[in-house]
Amino acid sequence: MGNFVFDLIGKNIVAALVICIIPLVFILPYALIAILGELKIGAWMQDRVGPMRTGWKGVLQPVAEVVKLLQKEDITPTIANKPLFNLAPFIVFIGAFAAFAVLPFSEKFIPSGINLGLFFVFAVGSFAVIGIVMGGWASNNKYSLLGAMRSVAQIISYELPAGMVFLSIATIAGTLDMQTIILNQSGPIWNWYIFGGPQGGAIKFLFIPFFVILFIVYLISSLAETNRTPFDIPEGESEIVAGYHTEYSGMKFAMFFMAEYANMYVVSAIIVILFLGGWSSPFGTSFMDGPIWGIFWMVGKAFFFVFVQIWLRWTLPRLRVDQLMYLGWKVLLPLSIACFMAIAFLAMIN
Amino acid sequence: MVKYFKDILLGFWTIMVGMKITMDHLFQKKVTMQYPERFDPIDTGFMPDNSRNKLFVDIDDCNGCGGCERDCPVNCITVETVKTVPSDGPITIKSGAKRTLWVLKHEIDYSKCCFCSLCVESCATSAIFHTKEFDYSGYDRNELKHDFVSYSDEEKQKKLDNFVAYQIVKKQEDAAKKAADEAAKAAAAQITK
Amino acid sequence: MGFLNRLDDPFNAEGIILGKVEDLLNWGRARSDWYLSFGLACCAIEFMAVNASHFDLMRFGCIPRPSPRQADFIIISGTVTMKMAERIITLYEQMAEPKYVLSMGSCANSGGPYWEHGYHVLKGIDRVIPVDVYVPGCPPKPEAFLDGIVKLQKKINQQAIFKKRAKLAEEEKIIVND
Ligand code: SF4
Ligand code: SF4
Ligand code: SF4
C-alpha cells in the first residue's frame, strides 16, 4: 500500500515535499471549477444563464475573479487586533488543507496513510472554527462577532451527529484507518457501507435502513460544518452583514472563500470514503478498477457530492437559529445514536 | 412521538420535492434575454409603443411657445426664444403655421427628467415626443443635457441683434407715429376750436 | 496595491510586458465586478428586475456581496436623502480600492424630481462621492441599466494603471519644484 511518489523517488525529503504539494495543486483548479459550477448551476436552476461574457460562455469567470481579488486593497481596520485578524484566514485554510493529508486519492496515492485517519479528519475539521472565531473576534465588529458565535454554536451542535456517524463506521469496520475502510468495501457494489458493508451475510440487509439514515445524517451535518446553505447562518446576509468575514477584503477574503470550497471537497470525500467505497469501482474488481481508475472514481464521486451541496444551496432557504438547534439536537443526534446502537449490534453478532 | 416522526418525514419529503423542482429547472430552456449581443428591444418588438424613453424635439416644428417648459413638473426644460423680425421674410414651422419666435435654446436635462410625458401632452405642434432610444448613459452628468437647437453662436447673436435693431427701428417708428398722431390730434383740436 | 509599486519601476509603461500586465489586470477588474447589494428607492425595484432571470446581471460577472469590504462597485439606486447620504459616504469609504460608483436614475444623477424644491434630498450623488457612470431614466429600463454596466466595464478596461502612476509622479514633481 502507500504512495507512488515514495516508490518513484524513494523515501526522502523531496518525495515528502512533492506529496505536500500535490493536494495544493489539486485544490486550486478544483476551487476554480467549483466556483464556476456554483455560479453556472445556480444560474441554470433559476432559469438564468450565469456568467456569459468572460471567455467562452463565461468559463474564465473564476480566473477573472482571482485576478480581481489579487488587485484589491487589503484593508485591516484600525481598531482590529492585527495579528489575529491577519492570521485567521490562514488558519481556516490550513484547517481545510490539513484534512487533505489523510484523504486518499487512489490505492497508490495516499498522502499520509496514518491509521487514525478518521480521527485526524475529525480533529482538523474543528480547526476551521478556531479561525472563524479568531477572525470574527479580531475584526472588532459586532456582526463579525455574532457570525463567529453562531458558527461555534452550529459546529458544536453538528459535530456530535457527525461524530456518531464516524463512530458507527469505525465500529463496523473495526478501524479508524481510511485505507482499511475503503479496502473493506472493495468488491461488488453491495459491499459498500451504505448497503451494509461486506460482513454479516443475509442479515445485514435488515440493517441497511440504518446505514442510509447515517448517510443522510452525515450529509446534513457536513453541510453545517462547512457553513453551506441552508446552514450558512454564520454569514447570513439578511441578518448580519456578511458574518465573520464582514471586514475581510482582497486576498484574505479569497482565503476564506477557498477554504470553504476546499472544505466542500473534504466532506464530500469523507462521505465517499465512509459510505460509497472510496476509490473502488461500482462494477466490482474486474471492470474499470485499479489505481488510475481509482482516482477517477474517488474524485468523480466526491465531485458528485460537491454538486449535491451546490444543488441544495440553490434549493433551500436559510434555517433560523432555533430551527438549526432543533434539527441538530432533537433530530440528528437521537437518530444517529439509535443507528449507532443498531450497527453496534450488527458488529457484535458478526 | 408520532408527530415527531411525521415531521421528520414531511421535512425530508419537502426537501426532495424542492430538489426535484430545481433539478427540473436545471435542464429547462433559459428565459434570459442577452441584451447587448442577442437582444435588441427595438428590433424584437419588445419595446411597447407607448414606452417613455429619451425625448426628442423636432426644432423645425417647435414654435417656441414654451408650453413644455411651463408644464414640466421638474423644470428640466429650458426654452429661450427671440421674436422674428419682418426682414427674416415669411417663415413658417414645418406644419405650416407662421413662425413668430426663433428658438435659441431648447435644452432638456435628462438627468433630471422623470419621463412623465407631460411636455408631450402640452405641445400644441407635437414637436416634442418620446423616441425609442434608451441606452445613453454617460460618464459625466453634463453629457445628459441635450440642446436641440443647432444654430451657431453667431447666428443666435445675429438673431438677437436683428431683434434689438428692429426694436430701435420700431421705437423710432413708434415715436414718429406718435408724434404724427399727436400733431394730427392737435390739428384736429385746432379745427374744432 | 503594494505589488504594483514594485512592478512599474523597471519597465516602461508603454512596453509590451507592462502593457500586457495592465490589460490582464484591467480584464480581471472589468469582468469581475462584485456589487454591494444596496438599494434606496423606487429605482431599487427596477434594479431587482435586472437581477432576475430575464435580464440576469450575473452575465456580466456582477455578483452581489453583502459587505462593502468585498464589493467593487456600488449602485446608487434611487433618491438619496440627506440622512442617507452620510451612510452612503461611510459605505463608500469602507469599500476597498479600486472602487467604482454607478449612479442609477434621475434622483441619484441630479436629484431628479426633487432637484428644485426637495429640502431633504441630495441634489446628485456626485456632490459627495465620485461617480463613474450615470444611467438616465426614472427608473431606467433594465436594458438601460445593463448598458450602464457595459459602459462601466469599458471604462475599467481603458484605465491606465501604470501610465497614470507615472503621470501622477510628474505632477508631484512640479508641485515640489514650485
Ligand atoms: S417628460 Fe416630464 S419631466 Fe421630462 S421633460 Fe417632459 S415634462 Fe419634464
Ligand atoms: S410646447 Fe412644443 S412648440 Fe412649445 S416650446 Fe415646447 S416643444 Fe416647442
Ligand atoms: S429616479 Fe425616479 S424611479 Fe428612481 S428613485 Fe428617483 S423617483 Fe424613483
Side-chain angles (χ1 to χ4, degrees), chain B residues 55 68 71-77 108 112-120 128 130:
Chain B
L55 286 162
C68 49
D71 276 8
C72 177
V74 298
N75 289 349
C76 66
I77 306 183
I108 301 185
K112 289 174 187 152
C113 175
C114 69
F115 302 93
C116 60
S117 209
L118 284 179
C119 49
V120 177
I128 184 166
H130 285 287

Side-chain angles (χ1 to χ4, degrees), chain A residues 164-306:
Chain A
M164 292 315 286
V165 176
F166 281 13
L167 207 55
S168 317
I169 298 297
T171 316
I172 193 89
T175 176
L176 283 168
D177 183 3
M178 294 208 179
Q179 273 166 278
T180 323
I181 292 177
I182 296 175
L183 284 177
N184 277 351
Q185 304 177 56
S186 61
I189 192 169
W190 53 86
N191 273 0
W192 292 1
Y193 277 121
I194 192 165
F195 302 117
Q199 73 298 3
I203 193 150
K204 84 165 187 187
F205 290 101
L206 283 181
F207 289 86
I208 286 181
F210 295 110
F211 283 100
V212 173
I213 290 176
L214 278 181
F215 170 74
I216 291 165
V217 166
Y218 187 70
L219 193 60
I220 295 173
S221 342
S222 70
L223 284 176
E225 277 183 50
T226 48
N227 293 332
R228 295 280 302 172
T229 327
F231 300 102
D232 63 344
I233 60 160
E235 44 189 285
E237 295 99 32
S238 47
E239 301 139 23
I240 44 170
V241 185
Y244 57 88
H245 54 61
T246 301
E247 293 287 347
Y248 284 92
S249 64
M251 272 328 272
K252 283 190 218 137
F253 169 69
M255 292 299 265
F256 276 119
F257 210 56
M258 208 136 89
E260 180 181 330
Y261 283 93
N263 258 328
M264 276 165 74
Y265 180 81
V266 171
V267 294
S268 312
I270 291 172
I271 294 176
V272 172
I273 290 164
L274 293 186
F275 293 101
L276 296 173
W279 62 66
S280 37
S281 144
F283 307 110
T285 41
S286 51
F287 182 60
M288 287 171 85
D289 204 14
I292 307 293
W293 280 111
I295 294 182
F296 170 76
W297 287 119
M298 181 72 209
V299 175
K301 288 175 197 171
F303 266 48
F304 175 73
F305 281 96
V306 171

Side-chain angles (χ1 to χ4, degrees), chain A residues 2-300:
Chain A
N3 213 310
F4 78 99
V5 185
F6 282 146
D7 295 347
L8 282 181
I9 328 185
K11 260 191 175 354
N12 54 24
I13 186 101
V14 181
L17 277 179
V18 170
I19 292 171
C20 288
I21 286 169
I22 288 177
L24 200 59
V25 173
F26 170 75
I27 289 180
L28 294 174
Y30 151 73
L32 295 185
I33 293 172
I35 291 171
L36 182 68
E38 177 98 52
L39 294 176
K40 274 292 194 187
I41 293 171
W44 288 334
M45 282 179 176
Q46 297 176 344
D47 286 350
R48 297 184 285 131
V49 291
M52 281 300 276
R53 293 166 65 84
T54 320
W56 180 78
K57 300 250 178 205
V59 287
L60 290 180
Q61 186 63 37
V63 183
E65 248 136 53
V66 171
V67 172
K68 196 276 306 282
L69 281 170
L70 274 171
Q71 302 173 63
K72 286 295 271 186
E73 183 187 4
D74 192 7
I75 295 178
T76 312
T78 25
I79 51 169
N81 186 331
K82 289 193 185 62
L84 290 187
F85 184 83
N86 291 331
L87 199 57
F90 296 96
I91 294 205
V92 173
F93 184 72
I94 287 169
F97 185 52
F100 276 83
V102 292
L103 283 189
F105 282 90
S106 119
E107 254 167 284
K108 282 268 174 264
F109 186 64
I110 301 146
S112 164
I114 57 172
N115 53 13
L116 278 176
L118 268 186
F119 183 71
F120 180 82
V121 165
F122 199 61
V124 295
S126 343
F127 216 64
V129 73
I130 298 177
I132 289 175
V133 175
M134 217 172 182
W137 182 77
S139 308
N140 212 340
N141 176 325
K142 56 191 168 207
Y143 300 114
S144 303
L145 191 57
L146 276 173
M149 307 283 266
R150 287 178 172 198
S151 174
V152 175
Q154 174 175 320
I155 291 196
I156 289 178
S157 329
Y158 282 80
E159 292 247 286
L160 291 174
M164 292 315 286
V165 176
F166 281 13
L167 207 55
S168 317
I169 298 297
T171 316
I172 193 89
T175 176
L176 283 168
D177 183 3
M178 294 208 179
Q179 273 166 278
T180 323
I181 292 177
I182 296 175
L183 284 177
N184 277 351
Q185 304 177 56
S186 61
I189 192 169
W190 53 86
N191 273 0
W192 292 1
Y193 277 121
I194 192 165
F195 302 117
Q199 73 298 3
I203 193 150
K204 84 165 187 187
F205 290 101
L206 283 181
F207 289 86
I208 286 181
F210 295 110
F211 283 100
V212 173
I213 290 176
L214 278 181
F215 170 74
I216 291 165
V217 166
Y218 187 70
L219 193 60
I220 295 173
S221 342
S222 70
L223 284 176
E225 277 183 50
T226 48
N227 293 332
R228 295 280 302 172
T229 327
F231 300 102
D232 63 344
I233 60 160
E235 44 189 285
E237 295 99 32
S238 47
E239 301 139 23
I240 44 170
V241 185
Y244 57 88
H245 54 61
T246 301
E247 293 287 347
Y248 284 92
S249 64
M251 272 328 272
K252 283 190 218 137
F253 169 69
M255 292 299 265
F256 276 119
F257 210 56
M258 208 136 89
E260 180 181 330
Y261 283 93
N263 258 328
M264 276 165 74
Y265 180 81
V266 171
V267 294
S268 312
I270 291 172
I271 294 176
V272 172
I273 290 164
L274 293 186
F275 293 101
L276 296 173
W279 62 66
S280 37
S281 144
F283 307 110
T285 41
S286 51
F287 182 60
M288 287 171 85
D289 204 14
I292 307 293
W293 280 111
I295 294 182
F296 170 76
W297 287 119
M298 181 72 209
V299 175

Side-chain angles (χ1 to χ4, degrees), chain B residues 57 61-69 79 106 119 122-128:
Chain B
V57 180
D61 219 0
C62 166
N63 60 17
C65 65
C68 49
E69 186 187 17
V79 182
H106 195 305
C119 49
S122 73
C123 183
T125 57
S126 302
I128 184 166

